[in-house]
Amino acid sequence: MEHKYVYLFSEGNETMRELLGGKGANLAEMVRLGMPVPQGFTVSTEACTRYYEDGKKIGGDILAQIETALTEIEKINGKKFGDTTNPLLVSVRSGARASMPGMMDTVLNLGMNDDVAAGLIAGNPDPKFARFVFDSYRRFIQMFSDVVMEISKKKFEEIIDELKKEKGVKDDIDLDVNDMKALVAKFKAFYKEQRGVDFPADPKVQLLESVKAVFRSWDNPRANEYRRMNQIPYSWGTAVNVQPMVYGNLNNNSGTGVAFTRDPATGAKALFGEYLINAQGEDVVAGVRTPNPIAQLKNDMPEVYAQFVAIAQKLEEHYRDMQDMEFTIENGTLYMLQTRNGKRTAAAALKVAIDLVSEGVITEEEAVLRVEPQQLDALLHPQFDSKALKSANPIGKALPASPGAACGRVVFTAADAAEWAGRGEKVVLCRLETSPDDIKGMAVSEGILTVRGGMTSHAAVVARGMGTCCVSGCGEIEMHMDEKYFLLAGKKYSEGDYISLDGSTGKIYGEAIKTVDADLSGDFGLFMSWADAARTMKVRTNADTPADTIQAVKFGAEGIGLCRTEHMFFGGNRIKSMRKMIVARTLEAREAALAEILPFQQQDFTEMYEALEARPMTVRFLDPPLHEFLPSKANEIADLAVDLGMTAEELAKIVESLHEVNPMMGHRGCRLAVSYPEIAKMQTTAVINAALAVTAAHPEYNIVPEIMIPLVGEIKELKYVKDIVTSTADALIAAAGSDMHYKVGTMIEIPRAAVLADQIATEAEFFSFGTNDLTQMTFGFSRDDAGKFLQSYYDTKIFEDDPFERLDQIGVGKLIEVAVSGGRKTRPDIKLGICGEHGGDPSSVKFCFKLGLDYVSCSPFRVPIAKLAAAQAAIAAKK
Amino acid sequence: MEHKYVYLFSEGNETMRELLGGKGANLAEMVRLGMPVPQGFTVSTEACTRYYEDGKKIGGDILAQIETALTEIEKINGKKFGDTTNPLLVSVRSGARASMPGMMDTVLNLGMNDDVAAGLIAGNPDPKFARFVFDSYRRFIQMFSDVVMEISKKKFEEIIDELKKEKGVKDDIDLDVNDMKALVAKFKAFYKEQRGVDFPADPKVQLLESVKAVFRSWDNPRANEYRRMNQIPYSWGTAVNVQPMVYGNLNNNSGTGVAFTRDPATGAKALFGEYLINAQGEDVVAGVRTPNPIAQLKNDMPEVYAQFVAIAQKLEEHYRDMQDMEFTIENGTLYMLQTRNGKRTAAAALKVAIDLVSEGVITEEEAVLRVEPQQLDALLHPQFDSKALKSANPIGKALPASPGAACGRVVFTAADAAEWAGRGEKVVLCRLETSPDDIKGMAVSEGILTVRGGMTSHAAVVARGMGTCCVSGCGEIEMHMDEKYFLLAGKKYSEGDYISLDGSTGKIYGEAIKTVDADLSGDFGLFMSWADAARTMKVRTNADTPADTIQAVKFGAEGIGLCRTEHMFFGGNRIKSMRKMIVARTLEAREAALAEILPFQQQDFTEMYEALEARPMTVRFLDPPLHEFLPSKANEIADLAVDLGMTAEELAKIVESLHEVNPMMGHRGCRLAVSYPEIAKMQTTAVINAALAVTAAHPEYNIVPEIMIPLVGEIKELKYVKDIVTSTADALIAAAGSDMHYKVGTMIEIPRAAVLADQIATEAEFFSFGTNDLTQMTFGFSRDDAGKFLQSYYDTKIFEDDPFERLDQIGVGKLIEVAVSGGRKTRPDIKLGICGEHGGDPSSVKFCFKLGLDYVSCSPFRVPIAKLAAAQAAIAAKK
């Protein structure tokens, strides 16, 4: 039998979403439920895929099936396509598996031509009806030309404007039937002028061209961009729904509207929506007329309203979720044109899910599945007070680099930020760009604003890690660092002036706007408790400071999966000692410098163990290449040389000698410990002493330090560094008369380590997948440089996702799988986790669950997101 | 039963080399053959491994077995260790599985103490004998102190020198018995002074300490270095041979010597060696006295000579190879102390192998196994005429960066090199360092000399690829580029002066020395014909120019496995057009620049197809990042800007915009073709048009162009570029009315491509493993930067080989295996090759054979080496 590509609504149901798209499946389901739906047919997503495979052609078999379906709906609706007495007019709409509102194209009133228009008018003597017919006709020409023939809508609007000017009228409504008729003629003439052929009068030609146009629109730039942002695969394709038209603009006994079964902003349980009498759907959206609240329909059309309320309730009960519906009333008859699970704010998502549980509609586990993990982000950051925001006007807009709202006084250096914050002032740090030197200042700021740098600049990455609001890359700012002011939108902002930032939109405000803190109790707390109950995989956090740790614990982190100790080498005297260590030319000098750093590092670990209480912490040893700790500019080198008691020439030589062609693949990670075992020794001492001290104060914490060696690619390399760690640690523990245990493990972030994980596991007591580096090396491109070519990869659809945001499951994921099974073969109880930035990406978290990892680790602000994703994965697995 | 660690010579045989080491196994074999060998015992290599595992201690069980073996050899030799009337004195020598001459330690005359000396003298009233005993005694103290206690030999020599001064004599021989006795006392006193304890008198203590010292010496720096150079695993360990002493220095009826069954320099069949009467082995080596040619022994001791000749002949027959033997004659009795397959020059290796075949001793296939592939290298390059070399004195020495001998006139720029060479002059190009700009000049030079840069510098890598002699990194040179002269060893060398270079030793000569060309016929030709007969895997070459191609074909290349087209963008107008292409900001400008390059590139391909005749060629599309084609220094940018008709600022901005943090993982390879499809189009046109032209002239060549897309990591990426190639190629072929076939394949050089090779193979018609990049990405370190830390990796024995020289079979090799099986699964007839530098490394070639690759590809000068390695692998596989 030939493959079926076209389905009547009466042949489908809600489970056929993959084939029919969301809109098509739900229309079919409403038909099945006996609801008033204009009955049409759906050309399946498979037909779209075939269209692209066949070189953008619709195959003969599919054409024949469309033809047959058309005949069927002619029968069902008692109208005929192209018929002059009882013509069938249809809408042609896209409908993908996932909702992509406004991304693809729609053609309405299809089937219209001169004869059809004349026939329609002949059947109804009302002059208003004649105007309606020609209005519909001109709208069709306009839409078809735009969607199918790529003649911009705007040009047609210009023709309308001209006519209005000519007639001396203001609104479309003031144009009469003859004007509309004239417009149809003008539009057709313009079409011919543009395309050199007559506007197609044959309804079947109109239909096929429109179906092709919808297929084509799957591949338009805004659809591609939307898919990439929402991680919708290109390969899915879109379905096309062909449905008989019903007209809300037929007369005053007609209308159209949209409604939600609950409030999509708050989640409150009450029908929520709006409608317009004598209007088409686009009029509601366009906002020329102000729609009425849905409740008013009860007065306008009590019977229709009652019917709609009943349908809405039935749909919510049927789908067991809040519904978003479109309807049209044609001459007193209600037609349902769409229903779908309604999009909602994060707060509403929580409330609806919790209410549905208390209403007994869904279980707690189902509720957990109802909230998109990513959505929670909005609930975790401070937001502007909505009332205060109303009166505020942005002075600029740049990249929304790290979400949340911030309000504070402008400062220009990290040191100033620390000083002002020390006095209890809230500050916003404004910089050309940030560097590791600024971390301490960034940590005490409410928000960060930079002139240079993108979404993955230092400022952006660090701010996201800290959960601090950041707007980056605002090139409009004219910065005067030395004089401590900047110019933006013609105004001067000096140190101490108030500004506000919205890190979720990138907007910059030149005034103070009140912010409100995130509320982690209430609905959020209850919902997360359900997620936690369902979840089996642990969620740890990436935290490098005591402050991060406290924040992460508040967000529910179950330990630290990655403490990047390099951040402990910056700030104040530490960086000076670190630099002394780097320029040291003897072991003794190096050890002396390290001895200066030890107490600081030990103090950090002590405070973190205290903040964690009994939770575990994985400490990663020094990872970045040493040149990152030294300046590169001549004047900075000269200054530092004085500090270090050497000549600028000597220091410049050292800086030069540390230069690397490919620093990402250079002298870093455990390679540093191999060259300078004394660094590993110092770090072991700091971790173990801190753990011993906190254990002495709180024996019940039962601390088991986890020391992690980065960038291992060879078992002997790990063993070499591990031997330094164990000999140091064992001596300290013995000297303290303690019986504390500790573990030594490794990052798996180099392809070779993944391939040889079975060997590596003979020494490593745990693996943590460093998916940032693993992604770089598996793909062979550097995160810092990929920006130069990734856009062409998106444009050509070679990539649909950024592999640094969403784990590449088939490539990088394959290596992780190999490592997981290799590690378990050697050491069945090996502890496995992931600590790359993917640890906070829901789809990647689900992948980790599938591999049976013990935990994921992510930045503090992503902990609830990861927990929810892990809970959803666990629930899905049970089914 | 307890594990056996100690073997009497009579318990072993030649097959036990792994356990007993080479020396031990051959001593045992000679015992088995009934030859006169002082019978001792061997402490196995496993004991050495145990020694290191046990924290540098010899286990009690091993000690007991040594004790037992000692008792056994006391019985066999009728002497007792430490006995004062008939004492046993022994030598303690290392003996690893592979010969490591001079790398480890030896102690002779062990078992000596005051009582033993007195007892020996009491048994022989000859005063000469007494002197001999004390001489042996003092030698023992000296050696033991040096080897076991790390007291330098030199200090003892100073004591001897003092005594000679005191006595007013010149040579050791002038010291009498009392002097020797005095030396023993002085030596013991010095030992006590240095170590604070008495010199150990107990022979068993002496023995165990010496055994430990030999084990320890396995780990000394020179042994580690030797192993790394010769790819001998650290894990093998060394055996220790304990053997009763025999004395060639007992009297004039005694002597010692070394001999080869054939001439190790030429391979001529005649006993070759030398001996000394009344001497110990070390005297022969030390060169204080001039030894006699072995033939003279026939006159001195006819019977012994006859016996030795018979033994030598028997040994060669037995081992079926040329033997290298050590012997000692004690008071008229011959003792064999060692035999092994003799080391020999490349020429000798060929001659011996060929002679053994014609003598019917070995088969042709066995002959093929007898020559180390690496050895052939010496036969492929020009060498200095040995007579001319004798009178020459080097003026400097630097790194032997690319082998062979060169003689020519000094030039200082690539342009001068081209100009002089154009006039028929032989030139040596002298530069501070070389860059891609110099390639054309390098290609026409006899040799290259650089002031800066190591073995992997641009000059070194390119020269090796070209087979051109290169000496690099001669920091002693004071270079005056602008005035066209350099100073070295106090002399001035100006443009046009003759110098000579030895790229195999790094020596620089300030004069012309005659060179002789490599002879590829004769023994070499015959031998290679046997190798070719046995070989199944093809050997192609990496060649980028018509000249390379001609050279490679001469060396027997069976095609080109890698033509790196980037080299075709340098030189003359091409680089200018290339730069125009890079700075172009419109597609049209880019296409115009590419159109200028097309005819040059097409001409190169045409000449290469002609040189190859019917052999295949794989052309790799442009690979390096574009910034490599632009200058980076301000003045060069300014000059180029004038050329390109833009401001220096504009050009500087472009250069800046192309800057990459990690260029190795940046915008290169097929990523260039994705961004600029027109480059791939131009290159396809060049390849296909060249192939069409040569096919038209030589239809019998049946050319099937192979186009290779580099740096692929994702199937869609390959498909995208392949589509450009096929649409371009198909159109050209159709337009020419030809039915030529072509193939499109890819490099596998990114871990992701290896992991997803099954997918990649749906588009790729062949794979070529780019093991340079694959090694970088699998290990996660950049070749350019690894130099900074690799030394600590060798020092700590984390690495024993340079993974860029010898393929990492377990890590990188594992990914290759995955790719091979993935590729074959999808496309059973997929053609597989390797084109990284490993393609010329014998052990890597053997690995490729094991994986069943169709071919390896290497630089022209490594083709014979790869062919021999492939032949050996095929022969080994048959067994």
Side-chain angles (χ1 to χ4, degrees), chain A residues 657 659 661-665 671 717 750 752 755 776-782 785 788 793 808 814, chain B residues 657 659 661-665 671 717 750 752 755 777-782 785 788 792-793 808 814:
Chain A
S657 77
H659 171 79
V661 181
N662 297 292
M664 213 275 301
M665 311 183 85
R671 296 163 197 165
E717 187 180 39
I750 288 201
R752 193 173 190 272
V755 168
Q776 294 195 90
M777 302 199 198
T778 304
F779 276 92
F781 52 64
S782 134
D785 302 306
K788 293 217 174 81
Y793 275 62
D808 159 46
K814 181 77 204 167
Chain B
S657 77
H659 171 78
V661 181
N662 298 292
M664 214 275 299
M665 311 183 86
R671 297 163 197 166
E717 186 179 39
I750 288 202
R752 194 172 190 272
V755 168
M777 303 202 197
T778 304
F779 276 92
F781 52 65
S782 133
D785 302 306
K788 294 219 171 80
S792 21
Y793 274 62
D808 160 46
K814 180 77 204 167

Side-chain angles (χ1 to χ4, degrees), chain B residues 49-69:
Chain B
T49 312
R50 262 280 304 272
Y51 167 79
Y52 282 102
E53 281 171 5
D54 293 352
K56 303 201 180 179
K57 282 195 191 74
I58 299 184
D61 52 336
I62 301 177
L63 289 178
Q65 291 187 27
I66 292 176
E67 225 24 271
T68 309

Side-chain angles (χ1 to χ4, degrees), chain B residues 542 561-562 620 623 664 668 708-712 746-751 753-754 767-778 783 804 807 812 816 819 833-839 853 855 857:
Chain B
N542 300 348
L562 175 64
R620 180 181 72 182
D623 186 54
M664 214 275 299
R668 52 174 286 237
M708 179 154 73
I709 314 299
L711 219 71
V712 163
T746 183
M747 303 275 284
I748 300 285
E749 53 188 335
I750 288 202
F767 287 168
S768 180
F769 292 97
T771 51
N772 296 351
D773 272 331
L774 192 58
T775 297
Q776 294 195 90
M777 303 202 197
T778 304
R783 190 167 183 170
F804 293 111
L807 189 72
V812 179
I816 296 178
I834 177 178
C835 64
E837 285 193 32
H838 298 104
L853 300 197
Y855 67 88
S857 186

Side-chain angles (χ1 to χ4, degrees), chain A residues 704-773:
Chain A
V704 179
E706 297 171 356
I707 289 174
M708 180 153 75
I709 314 299
L711 219 71
V712 163
E714 157 63 41
I715 172 73
K716 289 189 212 159
E717 187 180 39
L718 173 60
K719 182 163 175 10
Y720 182 82
V721 183
K722 185 183 170 185
D723 286 349
I724 298 162
V725 172
T726 54
S727 63
T728 308
D730 291 349
L732 293 170
I733 293 168
S738 162
D739 62 350
M740 188 174 75
H741 288 87
Y742 63 92
K743 287 183 175 167
V744 182
T746 183
M747 303 276 283
I748 301 286
E749 53 188 336
I750 288 201
R752 193 173 190 272
V755 168
L756 296 173
D758 52 344
Q759 278 188 16
I760 305 269
T762 58
E763 292 292 338
E765 292 168 279
F766 60 87
F767 286 168
S768 180
F769 292 97
T771 50
N772 296 352
D773 272 331

Side-chain angles (χ1 to χ4, degrees), chain B residues 166 255 267 332 576 782 846:
Chain B
E166 220 171 82
K576 194 174 162 189
S782 133
K846 290 176 184 178

Side-chain angles (χ1 to χ4, degrees), chain A residues 126-184:
Chain A
D126 187 348
K128 277 191 189 156
F129 183 73
R131 183 191 180 282
F132 159 77
V133 168
F134 281 108
D135 186 23
S136 300
Y137 194 176
R138 70 93 193 161
R139 283 179 196 241
F140 167 57
I141 298 173
Q142 204 170 342
M143 256 184 173
F144 183 91
S145 301
D146 178 36
V147 168
V148 181
M149 303 308 287
E150 291 171 355
I151 307 172
S152 167
K153 253 184 195 170
K154 256 213 283 199
K155 300 207 171 140
F156 294 97
E157 292 297 335
E158 284 165 17
I159 296 173
I160 300 176
D161 288 345
E162 248 169 57
L163 183 65
K164 285 194 284 191
K165 217 167 155 187
E166 221 170 83
K167 304 262 306 182
V169 302
K170 226 188 123 203
D171 291 326
D172 290 9
I173 205 84
D174 301 323
L175 298 174
D176 64 17
V177 57
N178 290 322
D179 299 330
M180 286 298 167
K181 210 169 163 179
L183 278 180
V184 166

Side-chain angles (χ1 to χ4, degrees), chain A residues 42-115:
Chain A
T42 305
V43 185
S44 75
T45 55
E46 289 179 351
C48 180
T49 312
R50 263 280 302 274
Y51 168 79
Y52 282 103
E53 281 171 6
D54 292 352
K56 303 203 180 176
K57 281 195 193 75
I58 299 184
D61 51 338
I62 300 177
L63 288 178
Q65 291 186 27
I66 291 175
E67 193 85 55
T68 308
L70 193 59
T71 312
E72 287 296 320
I73 69 165
E74 282 174 343
K75 273 190 225 156
I76 294 171
N77 292 281
K79 295 178 175 181
K80 273 187 94 84
F81 214 44
D83 193 81
T84 53
T85 53
N86 196 18
L88 176 68
L89 299 179
V90 298
S91 65
V92 176
R93 292 179 212 252
S94 65
R97 223 194 278 192
S99 163
M100 292 171 60
M103 290 304 126
M104 288 177 298
D105 291 327
T106 293
V107 181
L108 300 180
N109 304 321
L110 193 147
M112 190 69 93
N113 58 29
D114 292 350
D115 295 342

